[in-house]
Amino acid sequence: MSASGAVDDVIAPPRTPRLPVRGGGAFPVRRVYCVGRNFADHAREMGATAPAAKADRGTPVFFLKPADALVLDGVVTYPPGTQDLHHEVELVVALGRDVDGAVAADDAQALVFGYGIGLDLTRRDLQAAAKAKGLPWDTGKSFDQSAPVSELVRAGTVGAIASRTLSLAVNGELRQQSRLDQLIWDVPEILHELSLLYALRAGDLVFMGTPAGVGPLVPGDAFLARLDDLVALEGRIAPPRHRD
């Protein structure tokens, strides 16, 4: 403890990831929420039943990634422990306001600071093995460099997000594409559902789920994710680090 009474850190404090914001400034990230099975075609692709009507949706599936899993320069080192790394392109929503308690879906849009695009990288073999045993699948989702993400654009410059198209090309080949009006749970609905479970804060990111077409990435692959002409994320998969 210092002479002033403050407690001294015994290690250097971790750095807070900061996303660039178009037009200037940086967005410090507090927490990264992710939504599973939020496109009907991807739910079916993964062997799940997609809701036939809005009333049949049930509740969303959520999981988290650590904030230090974010990749800001697009370069992802192929992760250890897997032979089946998959891409999942997603809309990323950045929150700019705190809320305590539940927020109504009609009011939730006011929490949104801006939008970006990202990849929810998945060690599919580890996820599948955990699912088969009824175990949590954190190792399949929440690993180092599992969340490449673009710069953010302010919500006020975007307009209606549902009319935008999400896409991902790998080595120039289109792999995933969908309009955002195909989301099972839209942005305000997801923020409402999250607020029933967590205290949402400025600095939170929400990865909104991926459409069909997920597939493998290998070292040397180059990817280009787009949200129309609004924002893009370009990157590549680097060789794994050698471990003795």
Side-chain angles (χ1 to χ4, degrees):
M1 183 176 293
S2 67
S4 65
V7 176
D8 296 323
D9 293 329
V10 297
I11 60 170
R15 295 181 179 179
T16 298
R18 287 175 165 79
L19 305 188
V21 177
R22 187 177 299 171
F27 182 90
V29 178
R30 184 188 83 110
R31 190 174 288 177
V32 181
Y33 298 102
C34 301
V35 187
R37 300 177 184 173
N38 203 20
F39 282 86
D41 58 358
H42 175 60
R44 289 190 289 267
E45 177 180 56
M46 299 305 295
T49 301
K54 192 170 184 177
D56 301 329
R57 292 181 301 175
T59 56
V61 174
F62 295 122
F63 59 95
L64 284 82
K65 290 179 182 273
D68 65 3
L70 296 171
V71 177
L72 307 185
D73 64 1
V75 180
V76 176
T77 302
Y78 196 90
T82 185
Q83 300 296 318
D84 197 19
L85 179 69
H86 275 209
H87 57 75
E88 299 189 8
V89 66
E90 311 202 359
L91 172 70
V92 178
V93 180
L95 304 190
R97 291 175 52 186
D98 295 351
V99 60
D100 290 309
V103 60
D106 289 344
D107 301 325
Q109 189 64 39
L111 303 179
V112 178
F113 168 83
Y115 299 103
I117 192 168
L119 298 186
D120 165 19
L121 296 178
T122 303
R123 294 191 281 205
R124 190 70 73 198
D125 43 2
L126 301 190
Q127 183 192 37
K131 283 182 175 181
K133 296 176 182 178
L135 298 174
W137 29 272
D138 300 66
T139 57
K141 288 286 191 179
S142 305
F143 53 94
D144 297 330
Q145 298 188 7
S146 62
V149 65
S150 70
E151 67 176 346
L152 298 177
V153 292
R154 296 173 188 267
T157 68
V158 174
I161 197 71
S163 64
R164 299 285 184 174
T165 296
L166 186 70
S167 66
L168 176 71
V170 178
N171 300 327
E173 175 191 1
L174 184 65
R175 294 269 189 95
Q176 294 184 265
Q177 182 171 299
S178 179
R179 278 173 54 106
L180 290 173
D181 59 7
Q182 297 303 300
L183 286 165
I184 296 173
W185 302 83
D186 65 21
V187 172
E189 291 171 328
I190 284 296
L191 296 183
H192 165 69
E193 294 290 335
L194 275 172
S195 75
L196 300 178
L197 300 170
Y198 303 96
L200 300 180
R201 293 288 181 262
D204 290 345
L205 297 180
V206 184
F207 280 59
M208 284 291 297
T210 196
V214 302
L217 290 168
V218 298
D221 280 348
F223 58 82
L224 177 60
R226 290 187 178 276
L227 187 59
D228 285 337
D229 58 355
L230 178 69
V231 67
L233 168 64
E234 189 170 5
R236 62 183 175 85
I237 306 300
R241 293 190 180 94
H242 294 292
R243 298 194 174 200
D244 296 330

